[in-house]
Amino acid sequence: MKETAELRNIITKRGTLEILIPLCCSTDPVRYIASRKSMKGFSSKTLTTRLKELEKNGILNRQSFNEIPPRVEYRLTPKGQELGSIINLLQWMRK
């Protein structure tokens, strides 16, 4: 129950759905910069905090590349893909 409550708490936080929509509707990774540009009205701090929370809870996988400029990509983990009905809702919202 604790894990379920924590997951519900994260998903209902401001900005989380906006982060998950592009990830759930594609098999391609989403770059941090693309997330930042698509989230108008959200601070970089809020975006970074939400991404860290989702990664900590096994919903997202973060991959950084040793490039200049730095590149960071995010993907849904298998656990994140199991969010079935939420993924369906996000796909519907994207349409």
Side-chain angles (χ1 to χ4, degrees), residues 23-82:
L23 288 162
C24 77
C25 299
S26 172
T27 57
D28 297 329
V30 174
R31 292 183 64 181
Y32 173 85
I33 194 73
S35 293
R36 179 72 197 112
K37 287 179 181 178
S38 71
M39 293 185 62
K40 306 231 187 282
F42 293 91
S43 69
S44 294
K45 182 179 177 181
T46 299
L47 175 59
T48 301
T49 301
R50 294 298 173 268
L51 288 168
K52 285 180 181 180
E53 290 172 338
L54 290 165
E55 184 182 10
K56 177 184 168 201
N57 284 279
I59 305 301
L60 294 182
N61 182 37
R62 178 184 189 272
Q63 183 176 12
S64 60
F65 297 86
N66 190 16
E67 299 176 351
I68 306 245
R71 178 171 55 122
V72 178
E73 295 179 344
Y74 293 89
R75 293 181 186 269
L76 286 177
T77 63
K79 180 180 177 180
Q81 293 169 358
E82 289 176 1

